[in-house]
Amino acid sequence: MGLLELTRAGCSKDIQPEEDDGANVGKVTEFMTAEKIGEMLRPGDLIEFKRFFQLGKLKKRFYTHWGVYVGKPEGKHIVAHMFITSEGIATAFTIIAGNLESAEVRLDTLDEVCTDLCRINNLDDRKYKKMDTNAIFRRAIDGLGQHNYNLIYDNCEHFAKWCRYDKHTSNQVTRWQPGVSHTMKYFWAFVRVTSKPAKRIASVLPIS
């Protein structure tokens, strides 16, 4: 258990799982604010967060981030999630092409993780057997700390679903695979407008 991660989120080192009444099994909500969804959350829920980037005047949804709801110790809604710590074009390219070592599984408050809108997404309960709440909690907490990252094989959704289902799976990746070239167009459009070094790199790399 990472004491640093617990302290960052304002949790004590003897954090314990809360009871789950099963109300959210198989549940998928609409996207909503952190304040509104907080009233509906149950320990072990998977939370899907919208992530956007700005391209000129257009706001595009680039991907969704995933986390595991741990509970409300110390009166705050806490989420365990995989967090990428590196920045810049080298990091961005590594996310696409290979393993990124400077990532970590950490605890943050729901308000910190939800920068736009989020929803409960336990849809895969209908496909896989959900682990008991204590097991989900223990996986999320014991997984805190440094972690390798790979967009295709080991991303935030993989981690969240491993905690809940003991399955290393990502529906987001499955949806992306038939349209990788389309996704890459958005990716390189993004790096072109956010990084000067990226302009030199993107100018020699295909986007179709």
Side-chain angles (χ1 to χ4, degrees), residues 158-197:
H158 286 111
F159 170 74
K161 292 188 175 179
W162 172 77
C163 287
R164 187 171 177 89
Y165 306 117
D166 193 30
K167 298 291 183 183
H168 201 72
T169 183
S170 170
N171 294 335
Q172 191 167 203
V173 169
T174 301
R175 290 195 303 269
W176 278 355
Q177 286 175 339
V180 169
S181 63
H182 182 69
T183 302
M184 289 300 288
K185 286 182 181 179
Y186 282 125
F187 173 74
W188 286 117
F190 170 63
V191 297
R192 280 191 176 114
V193 299
T194 57
S195 171
K196 291 182 179 179

Side-chain angles (χ1 to χ4, degrees), residues 44-61:
D45 280 345
L46 300 189
I47 311 177
E48 185 180 12
F49 302 89
K50 282 188 176 182
R51 289 289 187 263
F52 294 90
F53 73 88
Q54 197 76 27
L55 182 59
K57 295 182 179 180
L58 299 177
K59 191 177 183 182
K60 294 287 186 178
R61 192 180 90 170

